[in-house]
Amino acid sequence: MAKSLGRRCVAHVPEAGKPMEADEYHDLASRKKVFTTLDTIAGTVTITAPEDTPFDNLDIEFLGTSRTYVERITTAAAAAGRSEAFHQFLKLVQPGLQEHYPTDGILKAGQAYDFAFIFVVPQQLLPRICQHKTHNPAIRDAHLSLPPTFGDREQSKACDIADDMAPEMASVRYGIFARLWKDKMHDDEMCRFSLVSKARRLRIVPALEEAPPLAVGGEESEYTMRKVKTIRKGVLKGKLGTLVMEAAQPQALRLRSSTESECRTTTMATVMLRFDPTDENAPPPKLGSLSSKLKVNTFFASTARQQFPTKSGSLLDVTQGMHSDQLSLSSRCVANVEWTSHDPTKPLTIERRDSACSTTQLTVGETPAASDTYKGRTYYSARLLVPITLPSTKTFAPTFHSCLISRVYQIKLELSTSSLGTSLDLKIPVQVSSSPENSTSEALLLRRASGGESGGEETEVEGGDVADFFQSRMIRPPAEGFVGRSRIGSQAPVGGEDMGEAPPGYSAFAPSSGGGGVPMGR
C-alpha cells in the first residue's frame, strides 16, 4: 500500500473473510537505508480494490513512538507485576489527500488509485510533547530532541542490522502508516471503521551533536575520573610511593556514514599518571598493560522522568529500570612508557588542549594534582594515549535522553603494574554523537544511489491498530499521548488539527496536483 520514493507496493482492499495481500520484495539494501534530520521522506500509497468499495477517508501519517515496560519485584504481592508505557511523540498527517479521492467516493474494482505523500524529518519535537515537571531546562531540551530508532528487533532481523544492545524492555520506532476508513452507524452513533491498513517501518538516526561535558564528582558519582594507589616495594616491605591515575572526558565518538565504513568510529582518551616517591631515590613503578572496555547503559521507565537517569536511581525507583552491556575494546602493553622527572622548584609547563575536545576537571596534557602523601620532592609524570574504537559487530545509537528511554556510554580503563599485581581503574563518560554532515550525507548518497528510494521494512497491520504495529508486545495505550497510567503533563497528540505552530522543518506537504501517481522527490 505504500510506495516510498519510487518503490511500489500495492495493497488490495480485501473481500470479506480474505486477508490483505501485498507485493513482496527482498531488496535488502533498500530496506537498510537511514534518514536523518531534515531529510525528505516521499512516496505514493497505491490502493487496488477487488470489487467496488465505498470509503470516506484515507490517512497517511509519519509516526514515532516509544514503548517500555518495567518488572516490579517487591515483597508485597499487590505491588509486584509489570508497569507498561507507550508514548506517541511524533505524528505528522499528510494534508490534501481529499483532492485525489474519486468523485463518487467509491474505489472501482481493479483500478489503481495513487496518493502521494511527502514528510520532512523534524529538527525537534513540539513543546507539548514534554510538559511534565523537570529539575532543569536541559532535561526538557533533551526530551524534545528526536530519539533514534532503537530496539526494533523485527526490523533489525529482517534488514540484517547488527544488534544495538537495546533490551526487550525499551524500543523507539518510526514508520509511515496508511489507513482507509469507512463511516458507519453503530449503536445510533456514527463510527469510523478501518477497511485496510498498512505500514512501512523507517530507520531514523537524527543529528545529535555532542552535549557539554558532564559535571562528575562526589561520593555517589557513577564515574571515577581519578584513582590513587600506594605502591609497595614488596611483601612486608615499605612504601615505594603513591601512583595517581587521572583522565578527562574524551571527545565524542562521532558516528560515520556507511560510505565511510572503512574509517572506524574512533576517539582518543588521554590518561595522565603521576608518581610521588617516598624518597628521592625511589624510581617510578614499572607498568604492565592498559585495557579498555565500553559499558553500554540503557535506562527505561514506565513514567515520565524528571531528571537524567542514574544507576542508583533506577535501583530505588520501581518505575525505572536499567540494562547494561560491556564490550572489550583493546589491551596494550605500556611497560615502555617514558616517565618525566619534575623539579618542584621549577614552574610546570602545561600543554593546552584542543578547544574541540571535551573535558571535565583535568586538562588534557596536565599533570594530575599531588597525592596526600606528597612532600614536595621530585615527582614523575607520564601520558598514555588510548584509542577508543567502536566495534563493527554492533550498532551504536547516539547518546540520547527521552521522556522514557536513555542511552549513555562509559569507558573503563584498567592499568596494571608489576608491583604485586597492583592495578588502578577509571570509569569515564563518553558520548556517541551523530553529526549532521555525516548523517545527511549518508541519506543523500543512499537516495542518489538508489534513484530516490526510501526503503524500510514493510509490515501488514490487521485491523488498523497503529499501537499494535509499533509495539512488539501488543501494548495498547489508553489514549494518544498517554504514558503508562498517567499522562505526560497536559500534552496533546502531535499532528492533524491539533498540530498548532510547528518549528522549522516540522512539515508534511500537500502533494503536487499534477497526478497522485507521480512519486515525489524524483
Side-chain angles (χ1 to χ4, degrees), residues 257-433:
S257 67
S258 59
T259 59
E260 301 174 295
S261 57
E262 67 278 3
C263 301
R264 304 280 293 278
T265 302
T266 302
T267 190
M268 187 70 70
T270 302
V271 177
M272 296 301 298
L273 303 177
R274 174 178 177 136
F275 178 67
D276 295 332
T278 303
D279 57 69
E280 292 287 346
N281 298 323
K286 292 183 178 180
L287 305 180
S289 63
L290 179 62
S291 63
S292 60
K293 298 179 181 179
L294 180 67
K295 191 172 184 180
V296 183
N297 293 328
T298 303
F299 296 90
F300 49 92
S302 58
T303 58
R305 289 188 307 237
Q306 299 180 4
Q307 58 187 0
F308 291 121
T310 61
K311 181 179 180 180
S312 57
S314 63
L315 295 176
L316 298 175
D317 190 344
V318 296
T319 66
Q320 298 189 46
M322 173 186 173
H323 177 271
S324 294
D325 279 286
Q326 186 165 277
L327 305 175
S328 296
L329 299 180
S330 66
S331 181
R332 50 194 300 223
C333 178
V334 291
N336 296 327
V337 65
E338 295 184 1
W339 289 92
T340 302
S341 176
H342 297 273
D343 186 344
T345 63
K346 296 180 180 180
L348 177 64
T349 301
I350 299 177
E351 181 179 334
R352 294 300 177 183
R353 60 187 283 271
D354 189 333
S355 61
C357 297
S358 298
T359 185
T360 50
Q361 300 164 343
L362 181 73
T363 300
V364 176
E366 181 183 359
T367 301
S371 64
D372 294 338
T373 61
Y374 179 61
K375 299 179 180 180
R377 300 186 179 94
T378 298
Y379 63 93
Y380 300 87
S381 67
R383 179 198 298 184
L384 303 177
L385 298 179
V386 187
I388 305 297
T389 303
L390 295 181
S392 58
T393 55
K394 300 290 184 179
T395 297
F396 293 88
T399 301
F400 75 94
H401 298 277
S402 67
C403 294
L404 297 176
I405 304 171
S406 290
R407 163 60 66 85
V408 297
Y409 299 90
Q410 180 186 105
I411 295 175
K412 181 179 181 180
L413 301 173
E414 185 171 0
L415 174 68
S416 66
T417 71
S418 58
S419 176
L420 299 177
T422 302
S423 64
L424 298 86
D425 64 279
L426 299 178
K427 298 177 182 178
I428 60 178
V430 65
Q431 299 179 43
V432 176
S433 66

Side-chain angles (χ1 to χ4, degrees), residues 452-469:
E453 298 180 29
S454 73
E457 182 188 357
E458 198 155 356
T459 307
E460 303 268 352
V461 186
E462 299 295 340
D465 191 347
V466 66
D468 288 350
F469 164 62

Side-chain angles (χ1 to χ4, degrees), residues 53 74 107 117 209 211 305:
T53 304
T74 64
L107 301 173
F117 64 85
E209 290 285 11
R305 289 188 307 237

Side-chain angles (χ1 to χ4, degrees), residues 16-311:
K18 292 186 178 182
M20 180 170 57
E21 300 177 352
D23 295 343
E24 298 292 337
Y25 68 92
H26 304 281
D27 186 353
L28 185 60
S30 172
R31 294 160 64 183
K32 293 177 70 174
K33 289 181 172 57
V34 180
F35 292 92
T36 188
T37 306
L38 298 182
D39 274 355
T40 298
I41 303 174
T44 303
V45 171
T46 302
I47 303 175
T48 305
E51 59 184 26
D52 290 354
T53 304
F55 77 103
D56 290 294
N57 289 286
L58 171 66
D59 291 336
I60 303 177
E61 301 168 335
F62 176 31
L63 301 177
T65 66
S66 59
R67 175 196 63 84
T68 60
Y69 73 86
V70 179
E71 297 286 359
R72 296 176 297 184
I73 303 176
T74 64
T75 55
R82 172 182 293 183
S83 58
E84 301 172 340
F86 177 90
H87 184 202
Q88 181 175 293
F89 57 84
L90 175 65
K91 180 179 179 181
L92 289 176
V93 180
Q94 174 62 57
L97 296 176
Q98 295 83 353
E99 300 175 6
H100 304 282
Y101 289 176
T103 55
D104 55 0
I106 298 177
L107 301 173
K108 302 298 182 182
Q111 182 174 341
Y113 295 86
D114 294 340
F115 300 90
F117 64 85
I118 179 169
F119 299 103
V120 170
V121 180
Q123 292 176 295
Q124 63 183 47
L125 300 176
L126 292 176
R128 66 168 66 98
I129 289 302
C130 177
Q131 292 188 356
H132 56 91
K133 294 181 180 179
T134 57
H135 289 274
N136 62 67
I139 296 174
R140 187 167 184 269
D141 290 343
H143 289 185
L144 291 179
S145 298
L146 260 72
T149 296
F150 185 77
D152 193 342
R153 297 176 182 272
E154 292 84 356
Q155 185 190 44
S156 298
K157 183 177 180 180
C159 301
D160 193 25
I161 298 173
D163 177 29
D164 63 2
M165 297 166 287
E168 182 184 358
M169 294 78 74
S171 66
V172 177
R173 302 181 181 183
Y174 292 89
I176 302 296
F177 193 87
R179 181 163 39 192
L180 195 66
W181 298 96
K182 176 60 181 175
D183 297 336
K184 296 181 181 179
M185 292 297 298
H186 180 72
D187 294 337
D188 297 328
E189 292 185 4
M190 185 63 69
C191 300
R192 301 181 72 187
F193 291 87
S194 175
L195 297 176
V196 65
S197 58
K198 196 163 188 179
R200 169 173 286 186
R201 291 179 183 172
L202 300 174
R203 185 169 178 79
I204 306 293
V205 180
L208 295 173
E209 290 285 11
E210 180 179 6
L214 293 178
V216 299
E219 296 181 357
E220 298 182 357
S221 175
E222 299 178 15
Y223 303 102
T224 304
M225 311 298 292
R226 175 184 170 96
K227 187 66 72 71
V228 180
K229 196 104 174 186
T230 299
I231 307 298
R232 296 186 176 274
K233 298 177 181 179
V235 180
L236 303 179
K237 295 185 179 181
K239 298 178 181 179
L240 183 65
T242 303
L243 181 62
V244 180
M245 180 182 180
E246 192 167 356
Q249 180 177 337
Q251 188 175 358
L253 288 154
R254 181 170 295 180
L255 296 177
R256 297 180 179 273
S257 67
S258 59
T259 59
E260 301 174 295
S261 57
E262 67 278 3
C263 301
R264 304 280 293 278
T265 302
T266 302
T267 190
M268 187 70 70
T270 302
V271 177
M272 296 301 298
L273 303 177
R274 174 178 177 136
F275 178 67
D276 295 332
T278 303
D279 57 69
E280 292 287 346
N281 298 323
K286 292 183 178 180
L287 305 180
S289 63
L290 179 62
S291 63
S292 60
K293 298 179 181 179
L294 180 67
K295 191 172 184 180
V296 183
N297 293 328
T298 303
F299 296 90
F300 49 92
S302 58
T303 58
R305 289 188 307 237
Q306 299 180 4
Q307 58 187 0
F308 291 121
T310 61
K311 181 179 180 180

Side-chain angles (χ1 to χ4, degrees), residues 442-453:
E442 176 182 15
L444 289 174
L445 287 170
L446 286 170
R447 286 204 301 271
R448 290 169 182 169
S450 61
E453 298 180 29

